[in-house]
Amino acid sequence: MMNSILALAATAQVLFLGSLAFTTDPYSYYSRSCYSRSRVKSAPNRRSNLLRSQPNDEDPTQIGGDLVTHLARIDKQWGLAKRNEIGDWQVLELKGNEQQDGSDIVYLLEPASGASPSCVIFFLGGAVLGQFPHIAYSEFLKRLAVRMGAAVVAIPYEVGLDHFSIAQKGVKLMKSALIECEDVRGYSSSIPKYNVGHSLGGKLHSIGMAATGIGEDIAGCGMISYNNFGFAQTIQMARAFANELQVSKNPRFGEGGPMPFDALFDLASNAINAVGLEFSPSPDQTDQIISKKFDENMLQKTRLFSFQDDELDSTGRFVDCFPSGATEVSLLPGSHLTPVFLRLGVDDFPEEARDMASQASGGFQNISFGDEDLLDQLVDEVSNWMLGKPPTRRADFSTSVAGLIDAEVITD
């Protein structure tokens, strides 16, 4: 019975909106151990079996849903087209210590000019989309990297209920990747380091900084569409995300006709409430952690970026953790998925790989999603923040209800 409920919840939440794919171990609460420096080994031409794996419909603890399947297909195309060119994504395999079996990967984007980077950006994406950051966020990160002359380390992760463990692993990968960049690739240890996260990625960065103290070593933390919803609330807000993705209308992201969204979401929400599933730390616990660990110095380094038409945003909740005026928020036109811009064409692949790429994309010659103008405005605002400039438009969050926001726009 429990497996059926979990499968139903995951199906409603992932199959139709792609906002969560989880393991069913909500009880392994977090420890406060920090990770030590570990040596790394570069393997740019190797791929991770983890990110190649397909959803297993027979196992309700490993459900990825249609969005993961389609992103995995695009990831396969990326692997076919990859030419290891300067200025394009590279795969770095990071080896753990002797007690750790296997290895993890991150994606590295270095300046196309071949010059030493001016800074390093550590990026965590949103749920599910963050499992394929080099695909879902490639345009955003490439444009930001060009603007700043930066190197980008995009950290993939599989979502779960234990956000603390995911955040800790993200910190470990950040440290390992930094050692690789400094010891093997010759990066200067003095260049600034920035954390940038989208949606759940913002929450994970905030937990990681609060729990490990790495906030002292970074120049800034930018959180785009910060999200700190509870598990049941995430299901309730799935309708908005599903409408934005237009899953039932866009054949590029799914097949078949319209689905009974409302009935499935309501049933999944009731099932989740019945079994009491919740993220760890919960939204309230996250607020407590942040309010205790983010001091004045850390808040001065932090910028939140919120979109006018974003119903999945918890920026107001973050702001409410601190005295009025302690946090800066940039308000931008757009919605929760503004950082996601996909533009892939079969013609971009080597001739010998085009047939396979076409099959992997379901027969479509081109795949596109997102608004390029809104994306460029976001790139401008984030790069301006990194350069020390104030928000183009400030948002004064006077009211926050259940994670949603009521913003008053203040134009400088």
Side-chain angles (χ1 to χ4, degrees), residues 4 8 24 51 98 101 117 125 132 138 156 175 222 234 333 348 381 405:
S4 298
L8 173 63
T24 55
L51 295 186
E98 289 76 7
D101 294 329
F132 305 91
S138 183
K175 291 181 176 181
T234 303
D348 295 331
E381 191 71 10
I405 55 176

Side-chain angles (χ1 to χ4, degrees), residues 66-291:
D66 275 357
L67 184 60
V68 171
T69 300
H70 287 285
L71 285 172
R73 288 176 177 172
I74 298 173
D75 179 48
K76 184 176 181 180
Q77 296 178 26
W78 175 80
L80 293 172
K82 190 171 180 295
R83 299 182 178 89
N84 291 322
E85 295 177 349
I86 296 177
D88 206 352
W89 292 104
Q90 304 173 58
V91 179
L92 297 185
E93 185 180 31
L94 308 177
K95 299 293 289 185
N97 54 39
E98 289 76 7
Q99 288 75 37
Q100 178 183 340
D101 294 329
S103 58
D104 294 297
I105 70 164
V106 297
Y107 295 97
L108 175 65
L109 180 69
E110 296 184 298
S113 65
S116 298
S118 64
C119 61
V120 179
I121 300 170
F122 295 101
F123 180 79
L124 286 169
V128 174
L129 297 173
Q131 189 174 343
F132 305 91
H134 61 304
I135 301 296
Y137 298 97
S138 183
E139 283 294 326
F140 167 62
L141 295 174
K142 283 185 175 182
R143 296 179 192 208
L144 183 61
V146 169
R147 187 72 58 85
M148 297 300 302
V152 178
V153 176
I155 303 169
Y157 66 93
E158 290 189 80
V159 292
L161 293 179
D162 190 348
H163 288 174
F164 202 96
S165 293
I166 299 171
Q168 280 193 315
K169 183 174 181 179
V171 172
K172 184 194 78 168
L173 294 179
M174 287 169 55
K175 291 181 176 181
S176 296
L178 187 60
I179 295 171
E180 156 78 5
C181 291
E182 292 180 355
D183 292 1
V184 178
R185 296 173 176 269
Y187 290 16
S188 169
S189 60
S190 63
I191 62 175
K193 290 87 177 173
Y194 293 89
N195 286 351
V196 176
H198 173 238
S199 191
L200 176 59
K203 176 184 177 180
L204 297 176
H205 267 316
S206 66
I207 293 173
M209 290 187 296
T212 65
I214 63 166
E216 298 178 2
D217 299 324
I218 68 168
C221 177
M223 292 183 279
I224 304 166
S225 297
Y226 173 81
N227 182 278
N228 183 25
F229 283 173
F231 192 72
Q233 186 185 11
T234 303
I235 286 286
Q236 290 297 326
M237 294 309 299
R239 293 180 177 88
F241 199 10
N243 289 335
E244 188 171 349
L245 276 173
Q246 295 181 318
V247 176
S248 64
K249 299 177 181 178
N250 189 344
R252 296 174 178 83
F253 287 91
E255 297 177 355
M259 301 299 292
F261 290 111
D262 290 343
L264 282 167
F265 287 143
D266 290 341
L267 188 57
S269 181
N270 291 336
I272 289 167
N273 288 329
V275 299
L277 291 177
E278 186 52 280
F279 296 125
S280 171
S282 68
D284 288 342
Q285 291 169 336
T286 301
D287 291 343
Q288 294 173 6
I289 293 170
I290 291 172
S291 62

